[in-house]
Amino acid sequence: MSTPAVLLGVDIVAADRLAKAAERGGETFDRVMGGGGPTFSVKESFIKAVGGRPPGFTWHDFQETGNAPSGWAGRLLDEAAAELITSTGLALPGRAVFTVSGASRKAALVRLPPHEGLVSGAARWGHGSGLFVSLAIVFVRRKGNQ
């Protein structure tokens, strides 16, 4: 079995900057982001993982579907998170699994080797010291592999 290919993205943003964006975006920001700052930062880390906002992008390209990644994806995410925790000094207690759809799914498939399966994502995040920090991975979940 070959090693799965993974895309990685990190977002570190000042909390006051997110507060200003929420003020400017108002109801639209709240409706699209739901969870506020952490959600925005997590979705930004996914955008970085897939290589930017492709034509046709929407914030709904990344939707949370579960609590924690399992198998190799969970181990990889935890290993990468350990390095980010060390470098920022912040815990990353938030964790979830995401679907990657729409234009972002297409962008991810351009960067990943050809595989059949569901394009998935997993993220860890946390905040403190005036920062939001998030880490995301994007991968193809093949049947029988998690």
Side-chain angles (χ1 to χ4, degrees):
M1 181 166 103
S2 64
T3 303
V6 175
L7 304 174
L8 176 81
V10 173
D11 187 59
I12 301 173
V13 64
D16 63 341
R17 190 167 172 217
L18 282 178
K20 289 176 186 172
E23 285 175 21
R24 282 193 311 271
E27 184 181 320
T28 302
F29 184 89
D30 289 338
R31 187 176 67 245
V32 171
M33 292 302 153
T39 302
F40 183 83
S41 184
V42 168
K43 289 188 178 189
E44 279 291 324
S45 64
F46 276 116
I47 289 167
K48 291 172 182 175
V50 300
R53 295 180 186 157
F57 165 84
T58 77
W59 288 102
H60 299 292
D61 284 0
F62 311 104
Q63 294 295 315
E64 187 174 339
T65 59
N67 291 331
S70 60
W72 68 265
R75 290 188 301 276
L76 177 66
L77 186 64
D78 289 345
E79 184 178 308
E83 291 186 33
L84 191 55
I85 289 165
T86 299
S87 65
T88 64
L90 296 176
L92 303 177
R95 56 181 71 221
V97 175
F98 289 75
T99 59
V100 181
S101 61
S104 295
R105 176 186 177 281
K106 291 176 186 171
L109 288 172
V110 167
R111 299 183 67 210
L112 291 167
H115 286 82
E116 287 188 29
L118 178 66
V119 178
S120 297
R124 298 253 329 243
W125 64 90
H127 56 88
S129 303
L131 297 174
F132 284 107
V133 177
S134 64
L135 166 69
I137 61 172
V138 174
F139 56 94
V140 175
R141 184 177 304 212
R142 291 174 281 174
K143 291 182 180 185
N145 287 333
Q146 296 220 1

